[in-house]
Amino acid sequence: MTISTHKTFCRFCHAYCAIEVDVEDGKPIQVRGDTSDPVYGGYTCIKGRQLPEQFATPKRIRETLKRDSSGAFQPIDVQQAMDEITDRVRSIIETYGPRAVATYVGSYGYQNSAALHVAKAWHKAIGSDSYYTSVTIDQPHRKIAQSQFGAWEGGTHAFTGADVCMLIGNNPVVSQYTPFGGIPPFSPYARLRDEMKRGMKVIVVDPRATEVAKRATRHLQIRPGEDPTFLAAVIRHLLKQRLHDIAFCEAHVADLDALTELVEPFTLDYAAKRCELDPSDIQFAAETFARAKRGVAVTGTGPNMSPRPILTEHLVCTLNTICGRVNRLGERVPNPGVLQPVRKREAKVLEANPAYGKGPRSRVRGLGEILGEMPTAALNDEILLEGEGQIKALICLGGNPMVAFPDQDKTLAAMKKLDLLVCVDLYHSATAKLADYIVAPTLSLERDDVTLLTDTWYDVPYCHYTQAVLPRNEQSREEWELYWEMASRMGTPLELPGGAVSLTERPTKFEILKCLTHAAPIPLETIRDQGRGHIFEDIQVKVSESTNPNPAKFQLLPADIPNELEALAMEPAREGSGIVDHNQTYTHLLISRRLKHVFNSSGQQLESLRAKGTTNPAYMNPQDLESFHLSSGMMIEIESAAGALLGVVEAASDVKPGVISMAHAWGDLPDNGGSVRSQGSSTNRLVDDNRTFNPITGMPRMSAIPVRIRAVEEALA
Ligand SMILES: Nc1nc2c(c(=O)[nH]1)N[C@H]1C(S)=C(S)[C@@H](COP(=O)(O)OP(=O)(O)OC[C@H]3O[C@@H](n4cnc5c(=O)[nH]c(N)nc54)[C@H](O)[C@@H]3O)O[C@H]1N2
Ligand SMILES: Nc1nc2c(c(=O)[nH]1)N[C@H]1C(S)=C(S)[C@@H](COP(=O)(O)OP(=O)(O)OC[C@H]3O[C@@H](n4cnc5c(=O)[nH]c(N)nc54)[C@H](O)[C@@H]3O)O[C@H]1N2
Ligand code: SF4
Ligand SMILES: [Mo]
């Protein structure tokens, strides 16, 4: 058999590394980084190199499955499954109305460049607001904060070329994720090294000495949940030293004096005590950030999952803005995007336009639409709460609610209550095990895709269209196709930005993508015909003079921000090491993290990746192990006000004492105990979504969770 080699990009995670795949006898046998790619330069990670095993594993679902009356799954022809699913959806809409049918797009929904858009178009067409994604249990607070702050039309500074970068609670060299000014997720180690060699100073604020913290100029090992305190002190200090961009603030910023008063309580000493940092470190962070010419401060999932996330994100916007970190008149916008219309970029503030408080309302906790979608943290309750508008059917696109949603027991009750659960999933995931139908997905190498998700994450106008490398498994469906199948059977018009989709003739993926990018400056055909990733240097946009005689100003004190700052300053000082929550005393704060060898719950199935670990260890400082008479490998119970789980302790000197660092999306269904060492535990058993939620996004506290621990006899585990 001959071996053919194909250029494409990896879709195991959202970093979309350019790769070469060797195919023999219709099967991928090897993956390498494409060293000729102008952005990735040959970078890959351990996950992407396992695509051959992902395609070959017997655990992979290759045909569509239906649950029978005994609860077992039986193969069903995919067209028959599409008929049956459509009939059941139609009947639920007729009985309960369109809101009763919901979609949840999980991380693998995002990996298909057409899924989100077609699913959303279908929801619009049937009149169902019940459209949910993992974004609203991820980092929604950043966009919420930005939307009420205002934005600079010329764009903000990028990582590349900056003199300082402050990373607050993210670890992009492992997560490959900072699509908003942090280290670009493409070959991040090399990018960090190159910029630091050029002179960039990197400040990392994280309770763990992460992979990026170890490479930083200075690491501030903050107490979890104290980011707003830290940021308020940084802002106070640089304002006192008059290190902010005074001219920029005078021209473009509102309420600076009032903000100055509100941050007054946050002296270096006060903040240092609360954050468990040295005052000189906060001073260093403030002065280094403010004195640099170009810079970016960015956050990640850490602070977004900890208390007061919108305040944290607001203070990050404030820090960047009062230091004038925006592209000025005449500067080139490094990447205006290749797949979207080129728009003018004036040197002006775009008026704040809060991305909440309008649109459909949720039936629970006073929540409503955010960022144009419904809050996933309320989805379980929307399924469980009887009455008009109750959700009866859920289509889950490459997501795994059973291990990803807050409050695992509640999620189980919700999934069981549904009349219809359809999962498009590669494996018998914890959630798919509860489904009525599991639709076999068309896998990455079997389909066309374009780098639509990451279009504006690059620091150059780069784009990559890949055609399918392998023939398609005819019994599979792409995530977007499920909606086309339903639409064509129900006669539901599907409107995409470039026009209506044919309901009689199955559109090709190219046609769908063309419809989504119809206004792009470069025709999709041209991008496709490159046959590889390419930088489209012709797309050049410069920041132009403002044509608005009366432009808006950045809002330093919108909505609830003044109250939140006051409340933060009033919080009682913590005494000793005791942590009080819900009238109980706890000893540790449990924080979130990512592991290099898996992508949330994906990868835990592959033998090559399991060689790197088969559980999500409870990483703790050796000092803590000693004082609790524990040692690496012992089983512990971790208990919060909401629930408990079992975990395997692992000594890690990079974790701050008093903290437990543990990855999410491990484990199985809650009654599947006893296999913690081989499948891990879901940290969402510890999340209390009734009490600790953010009033705007509904997202509960998923990091900095007060917990206590005790050793467990192995026989009990
Ligand atoms: N406590 C706590 N909870 C969290 C977080 C946390 O840090 N702490 N993080 C949150 C965040 S940021 C996110 S994004 C969510 C993640 O939430 P989800 O996206 O719901 O969870 P994943 O585990 O990524 O689910 C991916 C699913 O896709 C399936 N899959 C794998 N490959 C393919 C494929 O090629 N096609 C299809 N169709 N399916 C495939 C996998 O088997 C898996 O079931 O979890 C959130 N929950
Ligand atoms: N290899 C791999 N890559 C992934 C994923 C994966 O599972 N594996 N998941 C993907 C997903 S869904 C997402 S959303 C992105 C997330 O990307 P990141 O946000 O970069 O995620 P993490 O690597 O978990 O980094 C979060 C950091 O916050 C710290 N932290 C926790 N609580 C606090 C706090 O209160 N304050 C501060 N300052 N820090 C805190 C943690 O120690 C951790 O280092 O990663 C994506 N990439
Ligand atoms: S970082 Fe790894 S998993 Fe993500 S796209 Fe690149 S090779 Fe694939
Ligand atoms: Mo995420």
Side-chain angles (χ1 to χ4, degrees), residues 579-598:
I579 302 160
V580 178
D581 185 42
H582 215 41
N583 299 323
Q584 294 270 330
T585 308
Y586 296 90
T587 53
H588 286 77
L589 294 173
L590 183 131
I591 59 170
S592 57
R593 66 171 298 152
R594 263 75 193 151
L595 297 170
K596 187 80 190 166
H597 64 288
V598 292

Side-chain angles (χ1 to χ4, degrees), residues 7-44:
K7 283 189 194 296
T8 180
F9 61 87
C10 175
R11 281 147 278 174
F12 204 120
C13 89
H14 45 250
Y16 298 163
C17 298
I19 52 173
E20 287 181 344
V21 185
D22 291 340
V23 177
E24 185 181 32
D25 198 12
K27 296 188 179 77
I29 54 164
Q30 211 203 358
V31 167
R32 289 176 301 279
D34 180 358
T35 50
S36 72
D37 187 88
V39 160
Y40 295 87
Y43 178 85
T44 58

Side-chain angles (χ1 to χ4, degrees), residues 104 107 138 398 400 404 424-425 479 594 600-601 664 684 702:
Y104 166 66
S107 58
D138 190 325
N400 197 356
V424 186
D425 207 298
E479 290 74 9
R594 263 75 193 151
N600 305 330
S601 66
H664 76 294
N684 278 312
M702 287 152 71

